[in-house]
Amino acid sequence: MRDIFTKKLFSKSSIFFSIVSIFYGFKETDFEFPISVNYFLVALMCLLFFVDFIQQHYRLHIFIILSCLFFIASYSFVASGTSVFLISVMSAIVISHADFIWCFKLIFFERLLCNLFINFASIIGLLPMYVTLKKNNIPVLCYSFGYYNPNKFACVVGMLILLFICIKNVNITFFNICFIALLDVIIYILTQSRTFLFAMFVCLVLVLSVKFQICKSLFKAGIYLLMPVCMLFSVVIPYLLVFGPSVVQKFILNFDITFSGRFSHSSHVLELYPVNLFGGIEYFERLQNVFGYSVVDNGYIRLLYGYGLVGVSLFLFFYFKSVCIFLNKHNLIYFVIPIAVFTLWAISENVIYSVAYNFSILFWGIVLNPNNSSIKRISQ
């Protein structure tokens, strides 16, 4: 048993995802690595990916498909210097022939350790514990526990909860659900993150509906339309705010107050930046120069500019294919829950764009390899 554990722990896929966890684990904190270290970690990922890739016995058409996918992601990285799309593609290919649940457990414990380290550093004073934010124009003291923004701390907690649900799968208990609900309330009280509270409420509703077979047909019908609707909502509203009639613009501006100005921020991005084929725009410096801020919380705008039109098309393709697989195989429907939650969450938080939070990108691996042995065991 110990030999099997050791073999899994030091496998190429485990080392690869450990590097990914380290790469993303300290983002949005003062412990974030400098750009030179980030490039070194990306180089290590690429090396492990190539070693792992050439050792697989792919059929010719699969080899060509994966090579084309990697080439598109590599071109985006070389052209822009942004590694998000490349890491997402490499992660999906690596996990496609690995043990999914083992990788999820590994990512869960490593990201949990990174988070606890950051939290401990804030408690002892190395990192800030509090941030003052304006909620409805009223200053509110929120706990960020070492992160630049309390919403980012809430995003990490939400990601860990969704990973836990996938790991437990059909074995999730009513006690687990009650504990998650209690944790959600505590995190909301500390961070005052309304988007986290909404996302986790949706999560609990979906877990209960799947576990107790409530509204199953409605759930299945809605999930297919969820991402296209959310994406259109997130892109069309900012577009109308720039190019729509004045009456529509006035209505959207009033509506935008509920979303803390997220749509007006997104509209400024559409004004200043053209959308290209291969993306690569991660930081909005021109936005900073003109409006004094560069943070855009709408996940779909970040996805559009980070991945480009080609990347977004691939993203939607993998979304539909993975959802279709999960809904038509026994015991895999729990995997749809993080996809649905991240899809809704992305309207007002940047959580969908990379595996830093959105580990459901790893489900692309099931589309690339539907015969994955670990997925077959779960579905049986």
Side-chain angles (χ1 to χ4, degrees), residues 132-278:
T132 303
L133 298 177
K134 282 191 175 181
K135 302 285 184 178
N136 298 322
N137 292 322
I138 300 172
V140 178
L141 192 67
C142 306
Y143 286 84
S144 62
F145 287 106
Y147 294 88
Y148 293 144
N149 190 299
N151 287 352
K152 297 305 177 184
F153 169 61
C155 286
V156 173
V157 176
M159 178 200 68
L160 292 172
I161 289 171
L162 291 166
L163 267 171
F164 176 78
I165 290 168
C166 286
I167 292 166
K168 293 292 288 185
N169 201 19
V170 294
N171 296 316
I172 195 165
T173 64
F174 190 69
F175 173 79
N176 296 146
I177 297 170
C178 291
F179 177 78
I180 290 170
L182 178 62
L183 181 61
D184 292 344
V185 173
I186 293 170
I187 296 300
Y188 171 71
I189 292 170
L190 293 173
T191 64
Q192 295 294 302
S193 176
R194 292 172 294 182
T195 50
F196 168 81
L197 185 65
F198 171 73
M200 291 299 102
F201 173 76
V202 171
C203 172
L204 289 170
V205 169
L206 293 178
V207 170
L208 290 169
S209 66
V210 170
K211 186 170 181 62
F212 298 108
Q213 303 287 307
I214 304 168
C215 302
K216 192 173 181 180
S217 58
L218 183 64
F219 173 77
K220 287 185 174 182
I223 191 65
Y224 284 111
L225 296 173
L226 191 59
M227 183 171 284
V229 169
C230 289
M231 189 173 287
L232 282 172
F233 179 76
S234 298
V235 175
V236 170
I237 287 183
Y239 181 85
L240 290 174
L241 199 52
V242 179
F243 304 106
S246 58
V247 176
V248 175
Q249 290 178 349
K250 187 176 180 180
F251 173 78
I252 293 173
L253 282 171
N254 292 328
F255 173 71
D256 191 39
I257 295 171
T258 308
F259 287 85
S260 303
R262 283 174 168 85
F263 291 115
S264 58
H265 290 185
S266 300
S267 70
H268 296 148
V269 176
L270 293 174
E271 281 185 286
L272 294 174
Y273 293 89
V275 178
N276 59 40
L277 287 176
F278 296 100

Side-chain angles (χ1 to χ4, degrees), residues 1 9 56 58 108 134 143 146 181 201-202 240 247 252 260 264 280 289 303-304 373 379:
M1 190 70 177
L9 188 62
Q56 304 304 315
Y58 293 113
F108 177 87
K134 282 191 175 181
Y143 286 84
F201 173 76
V202 171
L240 290 174
V247 176
I252 293 173
S260 303
S264 58
N289 296 334
L303 182 69
L304 182 62
S373 58
S379 64

Side-chain angles (χ1 to χ4, degrees), residues 338-357:
I339 296 176
V341 173
F342 282 125
T343 298
L344 285 167
W345 204 345
I347 293 174
S348 59
E349 287 290 343
N350 180 28
V351 295
I352 201 170
Y353 154 73
S354 78
V355 290
Y357 304 114

Side-chain angles (χ1 to χ4, degrees), residues 330-341:
H330 185 60
N331 290 347
L332 295 184
I333 194 169
Y334 278 93
F335 287 172
V336 178
I337 293 172
I339 296 176
V341 173

